[in-house]
Amino acid sequence: MNDDRPVLLETRGACLHLILNRPRALNALSHTMVRLLDEALARAEQDEAIDSVLLSGAGDRGLCAGGDIRALHDDARASGHASLEFWRDEYRLNARIARFPKPYVALMDGIVMGGGVGVSAHAGIRVVTERSRVAMPETAIGFVPDVGGTRLLAAAPGELGTHLALTGRSVGAADAILCGLADHHVPARLLPALTEALGEPARPDDAAAGIVQGFATEPPAGELAAQRDWIDACYAADTVEDIVRKLRESGVPAAEAAADELLTKSPLALKVTLAAVRRAARLDTLEAVLDQEFRVSSRAFEHPDFVEGVRARIIDKDNDPQWKPGSLAEVDDQEVARFFAPLGPGEEELGLAPGLAETSAWEGQAG
């Protein structure tokens, strides 16, 4: 008998197993799912019978493809506000996961994108498989990485995070580990056994981290380590225009392909994303980054590039978005800065980190 609840909760021994249960939608997050996850974690935090939490996705295609993009698109077209409330609760959930006081194991099998990164990559124990494809692909739809993704990408070695943030490319297990988005590789065929082991009665010397380590193996070879030279050299530039120029002038075919790829993205989203990652590197806490991302998401939600990007990439699938403005040169630095300014009258800040609303050190700066 099929269970149509969007989040399944199963307690095995002292482990609470949370299962995202929208497999036909690649377990995309709805507002209801975010609330259910937050409530379950709040209870588990206080429940002395629960020693650990395990997160996985139903089906065999992925943990979570992100938020429900069509619902966000429809809300934006209708000039609604439901999406802002969704992000408000989602970002608070991301912060709760990062600060969760018990072992939280995320099985990042298959597709893990956008909001899927938010519910997994902030976990204390992050497991990828040979099937994992991890990405923050927001620039392709006129949006900007969120769910704490700018903090994660800013912390990646060298300029790898900048490369992934701007291109939106997905990475496999080895590269996810290299970039600090995951910790361990476990072959997909062993996930049922790992799940079973995590649900067995805990022993003093057999904590969740040790159990996962016992299943871990070397991942298949990645790609990014061999590309560090041109990635670090090109993406260290101060502007997106200079990054594209350096990629073009590098003489490296892969770099030139990255330049071509960047020019298919929303010019405004690219510039805001570069600024967001650079600013995230200067913020002290995840909470401060989430506060910043809420401002950026609120502004991106209002901009026509988001609706147009979702239309072109996901709804009509013509892959021919008409961005406004249409080129990097037309993006005004003050427009970029507006994405990071305090929210206006009638708009409520996320407010996870005290004092951000009064912070003005970066106002007027584009990146």
Side-chain angles (χ1 to χ4, degrees):
M1 179 175 170
N2 292 330
D3 192 329
D4 60 0
R5 290 175 297 169
V7 178
L8 305 181
L9 280 65
E10 299 178 0
T11 302
R12 304 184 182 191
C15 179
L16 173 63
H17 188 181
L18 306 174
I19 305 169
L20 306 182
N21 189 39
R22 295 182 67 202
R24 283 186 288 185
L26 266 171
N27 300 317
L29 293 174
S30 65
H31 201 162
T32 296
M33 293 169 73
V34 166
R35 287 171 172 156
L36 290 171
L37 290 169
D38 192 69
E39 291 167 3
L41 290 176
R43 290 194 302 270
E45 187 171 335
Q46 302 300 321
D47 189 344
E48 294 182 0
I50 298 297
D51 288 341
S52 63
V53 170
L54 173 66
L55 177 75
S56 68
D60 58 5
R61 292 197 295 159
L63 171 67
C64 175
D68 190 332
I69 294 297
R70 287 176 180 265
L72 297 171
H73 167 272
D74 292 349
D75 189 37
R77 284 195 64 186
S79 300
H81 296 90
S83 299
L84 301 184
E85 296 311 307
F86 166 71
W87 287 321
R88 190 182 301 279
D89 287 342
E90 183 184 26
Y91 299 176
R92 291 183 180 278
L93 172 63
N94 302 147
R96 182 187 291 279
I97 290 168
R99 303 293 181 234
F100 196 68
K102 300 175 183 181
Y104 180 113
V105 182
L107 302 185
M108 301 169 69
D109 184 35
I111 292 174
V112 185
M113 295 184 178
V117 173
V119 295
S120 60
H122 298 298
I125 305 170
R126 304 162 302 175
V127 176
V128 282
T129 76
E130 74 280 4
R131 304 188 299 198
S132 295
R133 301 304 302 176
V134 183
M136 296 297 294
E138 286 77 8
T139 56
I141 58 168
F143 204 65
V144 179
D146 63 340
V147 297
T150 58
R151 179 175 175 85
L152 293 165
L153 294 170
E159 296 295 334
L160 294 180
T162 309
H163 173 57
L164 297 183
L166 295 180
T167 63
R169 287 185 181 177
S170 64
V171 296
D175 288 334
I177 293 171
L178 171 63
C179 291
L181 302 173
D183 305 301
H184 306 284
H185 168 263
V186 173
R189 61 182 173 78
L190 297 181
L191 292 184
L194 172 59
T195 299
E196 189 76 19
L198 287 167
E200 292 175 356
R203 296 179 292 279
D205 61 345
D206 203 12
I211 293 172
V212 172
Q213 186 63 54
F215 283 84
T217 65
E218 283 296 313
E223 301 175 358
L224 291 180
Q227 299 175 344
R228 280 288 302 276
D229 286 351
W230 66 262
I231 288 175
D232 288 353
C234 296
Y235 286 92
D238 291 334
T239 67
V240 179
E241 290 94 331
D242 283 343
I243 289 171
V244 171
R245 177 180 57 79
K246 285 177 174 288
L247 290 168
R248 289 241 187 270
E249 295 174 353
S250 68
V252 179
E256 295 172 17
D260 292 340
E261 190 174 353
L262 289 178
L263 295 180
T264 69
K265 314 297 185 184
S266 159
L268 179 60
L270 287 174
K271 289 203 170 186
V272 175
T273 294
L274 180 61
V277 172
R278 297 277 164 85
R279 291 168 182 243
R282 302 196 291 264
L283 294 173
D284 292 337
T285 65
L286 172 62
E287 286 80 2
V289 171
L290 289 166
D291 281 347
Q292 173 176 276
E293 290 178 347
F294 186 74
R295 291 177 176 178
V296 171
S297 295
S298 298
R299 296 296 175 241
F301 181 70
E302 301 168 350
H303 196 277
D305 272 8
F306 175 56
V307 168
E308 174 62 7
V310 176
R311 179 206 65 76
R313 306 294 193 194
I314 295 171
I315 296 176
D316 295 341
K317 298 182 179 179
D318 58 27
N319 289 315
D320 186 28
Q322 302 302 303
W323 304 123
K324 296 179 181 179
S327 70
L328 291 168
E330 295 175 86
V331 178
D332 181 77
D333 285 349
Q334 292 304 311
E335 173 66 5
V336 175
R338 189 181 74 86
F339 278 69
F340 300 90
L343 298 179
E347 299 177 305
E348 184 184 353
E349 297 276 359
L350 182 60
L352 288 178
L356 182 67
E358 290 77 34
T359 300
S360 59
W362 297 314
E363 298 306 327
Q365 299 180 26

